[in-house]
Amino acid sequence: QQNLSLLSPQQIELAKMLVEMGQSHVFEKWTEPGVDDDEKRAFFDQMARLNASYPGGLMSYIQTARQLLADSKAGKNPFDGFTPSVPSGEVLTFGDDNFVQFENIGVREARNAAFVLVAGGLGERLGYNGIKVALPAESTSGTCFLQHYIESILALQDVSGEHQGEIPLVIMTSDDTHSHTVELLESNGYFGMKSTQVKLLKQEKVACLDDNDARFSVDPHNKYRIQTKPHGHGDVHSLLYSSGLLKEWHEAGLRWVLFFQDTNGLLFKAIPAALGVSASKQYHVNSLAVPRKAKEAIGGIAKLTHADGRTMVINVEYNQLDPLLRATGYPDGDVNCETGYSPFPGNINQLIFELGPYIEELTKTGGSIKEFVNPKYKDSSKSAFKSSTRLECMMQDYPKTLPPSARVGFTVLDTWLAYAPVKNNPEDAAKVPKGNPYHSATSGEMAIYRANSLILRKAGVKVEDPVNQVFNGQEVEVWPLITWKPKWALTFADIKRKVSGSCSISQKSAMVIKGRNIFLEDLSLDGALVIDAVEETEVKVGGSVQNKGWMIENVDYKDVSAPEEVRIRGFRINRVEHLEKTYSEPGKFTLKG
Ligand code: UGB
């Protein structure tokens, strides 16, 4: 009964489709024709966007939702007929010959790679008010995650000084993160990357559903809008496909696409070796993994074998692994084995795909990924929801549609080397069961110092043992505060080239290395040292550097006088005394403490 002349033929089609698909309630409270016309037009704009951004359009969204909601109501197990077992993959140990060999291959392969950062998530668990990629990964240099990622990619691009073209970076954003991400990049000159090298792809949200018939939820604040929520990181595949970038990369001769998440300050220490594994084993899909504590909130990688003989190696989300195990002959569910870890490696959701087979698959699927729905029911009749729900999808579910011939593998790396995300707020982190990782801003930062200390130890530096300290209710190891720019060292071989003689670093020390050609030789550090040099300059740092150094001071997360970035990690660095040297002239220099 609305004034149809207001609508374009496409909008009339959309309206008809909505009515036919059982959505006439969305028009129920509309005013008479001629009133609120702008709002009504805006409603159709929203519908057109939702229709265009979902593979197959809204009709397909509603049909899939009905099916998945019916399965959920019936308690259908998404893994029905499948039995899990522990898959075999490549297990690496940092610094051994195997690891070094893979790093060597991987670091050379990186120039054939494109990187894709999924950063559309709001990070509700962390509760930080800004975007997560803008958070400092560590406080010695204040480098934020996005800067660290970009500098790591640039360092990979420059390996051995051969400028072999640019490594593309795609960032998937959402309405929640897009404008802040653009602002962060633009106000920092893209952190040294060319602006044309970075592409942003914004994911759209999907319609929320009120009931098992998949009726759209009308926004309680505006009767001319449908409520929407994020669809999950799985959107990255259809967005990449429809952007045309995959084809462009393929034509440019690229071979790998690496997907990674927003807040893992260790990731790039694992990338070269994992990429080396992909190249050597010719994996179409390679998931990076770490040993996983049973019930830890990361997915487990499992081999699933169907009664009909089909098998796949796939991530099983943490909330599904325990019930699946219980239903298939493991009455204790997800428990640690004699190693103290779950036998299923933990998915850290850093994925390496071979581009050719990836394009081939997406040409068939358009990039749509198997979805799931997770309604919170009011009662056991499962006929009504506590709040609206929506379909979701995960990027690691990509292998679910692959044929059995696809080479799907994984690479397990030491947790201390590869994985320290910042996901949990201080209060929740403090409640994490003892022995399980906090995944907080506190633990994320301390993990960087620990990894750098352990890497230097492995290269022969005597790094003193850490002390235990409590920040925001979380007990962590405090190692010397050691950081370096990715261009200083990407691989263990780089570290070994840059460190020689007899070096030692005391626990209360801090060391920040910013320049590329800085060599530590017979250095004994007991204090704080910050050193930078321009590209053409070589600096040998040695002797005994001793000063009062930097102190770590506790900050309570409830102390609103401190900036949020500081509060959530529970400490700040008080720079009492340090030796800071910047070499801005070309040449060879020696710094003797
Ligand atoms: N993200 C998006 O870009 N868009 C979205 O709509 C949602 C998220 P979370 P999650 O590493 O510990 C994943 O929320 O989804 C981005 C794996 O599924 O941090 O709970 C977001 O910005 C799980 O198997 O994680 O769990 C972020 O960069 C396990 O590996 C990324 O997606 C777990 O991560 C992940 O989003 C983990």
Side-chain angles (χ1 to χ4, degrees), residues 357-391:
Y358 181 45
I359 297 182
E360 230 172 83
E361 176 67 9
L362 294 197
T363 309
K364 288 185 234 148
T365 64
S368 72
I369 293 297
K370 279 216 178 304
E371 294 161 297
F372 61 97
V373 71
N374 191 12
K376 308 277 178 290
Y377 296 109
K378 270 197 178 138
D379 55 42
S380 58
S381 72
K382 293 188 174 179
S383 47
F385 309 156
K386 282 189 193 151
S387 59
S388 64
T389 188
R390 85 292 194 180
L391 301 191

Side-chain angles (χ1 to χ4, degrees), residues 15 21 129 133 160 180 195 240 314 363 365 410 417 433 440 458 466 481 485 499 521 580 582:
M21 293 303 290
N129 277 311
V133 291
S160 49
H180 293 299
S195 61
L240 272 179
I314 194 84
T363 309
T365 64
F410 63 91
L417 179 77
S440 65
K458 194 88 191 163
L481 311 180
K485 288 281 180 197
V499 175
E521 198 180 295
E580 181 163 10
T582 300

Side-chain angles (χ1 to χ4, degrees), residues 411-428:
T411 305
V412 181
L413 295 129
D414 306 289
T415 308
W416 65 263
L417 179 77
Y419 191 56
V422 177
K423 290 188 185 234
N424 290 326
N425 61 61
E427 231 163 311
D428 290 344

Side-chain angles (χ1 to χ4, degrees), residues 237-290:
H237 302 299
S238 60
L239 275 175
L240 272 179
Y241 183 66
S242 59
S243 71
L245 283 169
L246 297 178
K247 224 171 136 243
E248 214 176 272
W249 295 343
H250 200 238
E251 280 159 11
L254 298 191
R255 200 175 155 206
W256 307 105
V257 189
L258 288 93
F259 297 87
F260 63 113
Q261 303 195 148
D262 50 18
T263 57
N264 181 7
L266 298 182
L267 174 68
F268 278 84
K269 297 184 189 302
I271 290 279
L275 189 51
V277 170
S278 273
S280 312
K281 307 267 157 186
Q282 301 185 329
Y283 281 157
H284 296 173
V285 175
N286 183 10
S287 301
L288 273 62
V290 294

Side-chain angles (χ1 to χ4, degrees), residues 63-132:
Q63 282 162 346
T64 309
R66 286 195 183 133
Q67 184 59 54
L68 289 172
L69 285 163
D71 289 350
S72 169
K73 187 174 181 202
K76 195 170 160 198
N77 175 354
F79 298 107
D80 213 14
F82 283 101
T83 310
S85 59
V86 180
S88 60
E90 196 62 41
V91 181
L92 303 185
T93 305
F94 177 81
D96 71 8
D97 290 349
N98 199 32
F99 182 90
V100 168
Q101 217 174 338
F102 281 128
E103 269 202 328
N104 202 2
I105 300 168
V107 86
R108 280 184 279 122
E109 278 295 328
R111 63 176 76 112
N112 301 321
F115 284 80
V116 180
L117 166 62
V118 290
L122 198 51
E124 279 171 69
R125 280 193 273 160
L126 182 65
Y128 173 59
N129 277 311
I131 50 169
K132 295 210 293 173

Side-chain angles (χ1 to χ4, degrees), residues 102-295:
F102 281 128
E103 269 202 328
N104 202 2
I105 300 168
V107 86
R108 280 184 279 122
E109 278 295 328
R111 63 176 76 112
N112 301 321
F115 284 80
V116 180
L117 166 62
V118 290
L122 198 51
E124 279 171 69
R125 280 193 273 160
L126 182 65
Y128 173 59
N129 277 311
I131 50 169
K132 295 210 293 173
V133 291
L135 267 177
E138 43 82 13
S139 320
T140 65
S141 66
T143 305
C144 72
F145 282 103
L146 188 53
Q147 177 174 3
H148 172 69
Y149 292 151
I150 288 182
E151 287 177 351
S152 301
I153 294 169
L154 290 175
L156 282 167
Q157 185 176 298
D158 282 352
V159 163
S160 49
E162 300 161 37
H163 295 268
Q164 294 261 338
E166 293 163 6
I167 297 180
L169 168 65
V170 167
I171 306 176
M172 181 171 79
T173 57
S174 67
D175 278 326
D176 296 325
T177 62
H178 188 80
S179 59
H180 293 299
T181 309
V182 172
E183 218 175 277
L184 181 66
L185 285 165
E186 286 182 350
S187 59
N188 289 285
Y190 286 75
F191 298 113
M193 203 169 238
K194 285 192 193 147
S195 61
T196 47
Q197 200 174 341
V198 187
K199 296 262 183 322
L200 268 61
L201 299 177
K202 185 160 78 72
Q203 63 176 146
E204 294 294 336
K205 293 184 179 175
V206 288
C208 292
L209 311 164
D210 268 340
D211 57 27
N212 286 324
D213 291 329
R215 281 151 51 101
F216 291 166
S217 318
V218 176
D219 186 331
H221 308 292
N222 183 345
K223 62 185 172 213
Y224 300 110
R225 289 297 182 287
I226 299 301
Q227 253 188 340
T228 58
K229 282 190 184 165
H231 188 223
H233 35 71
D235 280 348
V236 73
H237 302 299
S238 60
L239 275 175
L240 272 179
Y241 183 66
S242 59
S243 71
L245 283 169
L246 297 178
K247 224 171 136 243
E248 214 176 272
W249 295 343
H250 200 238
E251 280 159 11
L254 298 191
R255 200 175 155 206
W256 307 105
V257 189
L258 288 93
F259 297 87
F260 63 113
Q261 303 195 148
D262 50 18
T263 57
N264 181 7
L266 298 182
L267 174 68
F268 278 84
K269 297 184 189 302
I271 290 279
L275 189 51
V277 170
S278 273
S280 312
K281 307 267 157 186
Q282 301 185 329
Y283 281 157
H284 296 173
V285 175
N286 183 10
S287 301
L288 273 62
V290 294
R292 172 180 178 278
K293 287 275 180 193
K295 303 196 175 60

